[in-house]
Amino acid sequence: MNDRLSLRALNRATLARQLLLRRQALPVADALERLVGLQAQATDPPYVALWTRLDGFAFADLDRLLTSRQVVRAAAMRGTLHLMTARDYGALRPILQPVFDRTLLANHGRLLAGLDLDAVAAAACALLTGQPMSYAALGKALQQRWPDRAAAALAAAARNHAALVQAPPALWGDGRPPRMTDAQSWLGRPLATDTAPGPLVLRYLAAFGPAGIADIRTWCGLTGVAEIVEDLGARVRRFQGPEGETLFDLPEAPHPDPETPAPARLLGGFDNLLLSHADRRRLLDERHRAHVATVNGIFHPTLLIDGRIAGTWKLATDRKAAQVTMTPFALLAGDARDALNVEAAGLLAAAAPGLDPDVRWMAPAVL
């Protein structure tokens, strides 16, 4: 066992890999691959995630990548929607198939018993090629062939057993229901055939490490993570966490000085920084957890001060104005408020150009 790492050391290491110690001058696709995608249950948060991490990011940059099929929005890690480059999706989606199989069995196994899932997947891909559909429409179309099966279960079988992506429009501010299409026809090439999980774990550590077995499992949804890590051998390095727990990392991964300054930032809803560890103490005080996430799993946009989650915020727009409202967990020092005001003004200029900007503060949520 090697060095022991404090919570602050873990915090700074994670912030560095998540491009949150300073904005980076990276192409959007390169940033997405470094971050191994962005959580994307809602359409808008990935735009905020990129804006807060990249120098000079314009929302139209991501629009262009989506419409040109260089970036896709699709179910990936944990079976949840992510925004990923087409290259990463093609390489990583097959590795994650056991997650999709387990989810389908748990949620719809009884309704799909005895059904040829390969046939359902093939039928779904044939229906979707050149004709994107909503999940509801796809389920009804599949039900014409399997009338004794529930439409929702058939749609779930297609989602989990075939590789499906969302076809634009699924862009900033677009509230229309998503439409699905077949990934291979959309991307114009087959998915990878290598399903060895080791490279996926190494990618995770590069973007989120140091991390424990439970952290890796929380992020990807795979089982047998301890065995996967053991098989990586010398490609991973062991550390001790704050309480002596075993953490893993890449041997040459960056470990900034724990006293490295961390700038104020606005994180979007469902930000990867919050969702990619089982143990979130490096970022979030336990007493604040209930203010960050709802009981049904909605993660609010958050304020980041000195590398820790310090409150929440929201964006509201109408025809004339755009407003960012910030609610800290406690009273903030003047310099912290000033830094967040600058961030909020910058976000409004990027997200709502042409609208009158307004930044407001609410009373602290926790005292």
Side-chain angles (χ1 to χ4, degrees):
M1 188 69 67
N2 291 309
D3 299 331
R4 189 161 188 155
L5 300 171
S6 66
L7 279 179
R8 190 173 176 91
L10 291 174
N11 175 278
R12 292 311 195 254
T14 305
L15 293 178
R17 300 171 204 199
Q18 283 291 299
L19 313 181
L20 288 167
L21 287 182
R22 63 180 180 87
R23 284 187 169 91
Q24 302 286 316
L26 283 175
V28 172
D30 290 355
L32 284 172
E33 293 193 350
R34 183 178 295 191
L35 298 166
V36 203
L38 292 169
Q39 190 96 357
Q41 283 103 315
T43 303
D44 292 350
Y47 289 80
V48 178
L50 290 167
W51 176 85
T52 209
R53 288 167 166 87
L54 298 182
D55 186 24
F57 171 74
F59 285 31
D61 296 341
L62 182 53
D63 285 348
R64 283 191 291 269
L65 291 174
L66 283 161
T67 55
S68 65
R69 309 188 187 190
Q70 297 176 68
V71 168
V72 297
R73 187 173 180 231
M77 282 69 72
R78 305 180 300 284
T80 58
L81 286 169
H82 280 71
L83 206 70
M84 309 177 74
T85 65
R87 177 170 59 183
D88 256 2
Y89 179 77
L92 301 182
R93 175 60 177 80
I95 299 173
L96 296 163
Q97 186 57 47
V99 179
F100 290 88
D101 292 341
R102 190 173 69 248
T103 300
L104 183 62
L105 179 62
N107 294 335
H108 300 280
R110 181 178 60 82
L111 296 174
L112 298 172
L115 188 62
D116 184 343
L117 296 180
D118 289 337
V120 174
C125 291
L127 286 167
L128 293 172
T129 299
Q131 184 184 353
M133 297 181 186
S134 68
Y135 278 122
L138 176 61
K140 291 179 180 178
L142 291 169
Q143 199 176 36
Q144 294 182 21
R145 179 167 171 182
W146 290 279
D148 59 329
R149 306 287 179 157
L154 290 168
R159 179 189 188 274
N160 287 278
H161 205 66
L164 305 181
V165 302
Q166 290 190 4
L171 310 176
W172 172 259
D174 194 310
R176 284 174 286 182
R179 298 176 306 143
M180 308 309 300
T181 191
D182 168 47
Q184 297 189 86
S185 62
W186 182 256
L187 301 177
R189 56 182 179 273
L191 304 184
T193 57
D194 188 353
T195 59
L200 179 66
V201 170
L202 295 175
R203 292 282 303 277
Y204 169 78
L205 293 175
F208 297 99
I213 296 299
D215 297 317
I216 300 168
R217 185 187 306 116
T218 293
W219 175 76
C220 66
L222 291 170
T223 59
V225 171
E227 292 79 6
I228 297 169
V229 172
E230 185 66 28
D231 289 343
L232 290 172
R235 286 182 285 176
V236 296
R237 177 184 174 187
R238 285 167 171 77
F239 289 87
Q240 283 188 336
E243 297 179 0
E245 67 274 28
T246 301
L247 301 177
F248 301 91
D249 205 1
L250 304 184
E252 303 302 323
H255 285 258
D257 187 317
E259 299 308 312
T260 302
R265 291 288 185 258
L266 300 183
L267 300 179
F270 300 102
D271 197 277
N272 285 19
L273 189 69
L274 265 178
L275 295 175
S276 301
H277 298 88
D279 183 352
R280 296 173 180 149
R281 291 177 302 157
R282 69 183 70 186
L283 303 159
L284 178 68
D285 291 349
E286 183 60 34
R287 68 184 187 275
H288 296 154
R289 181 186 290 263
H291 295 274
V292 168
T294 66
V295 293
N296 58 344
I298 303 299
F299 281 76
H300 301 303
T302 53
L303 310 174
L304 198 64
I305 291 291
D306 191 29
R308 299 193 65 78
I309 305 301
T312 61
W313 64 275
K314 62 181 179 180
L315 171 67
T317 62
D318 58 31
R319 293 179 62 186
K320 294 183 178 180
Q323 181 183 95
V324 166
T325 303
M326 293 183 277
T327 305
F329 294 144
L331 294 173
L332 297 179
D335 57 348
R337 284 175 64 105
D338 290 345
L340 287 170
N341 283 335
V342 170
E343 289 296 301
L347 177 61
L348 287 169
L355 298 182
D356 294 334
D358 184 21
V359 178
R360 298 188 181 185
W361 288 86
M362 301 296 287
V366 181
L367 290 175

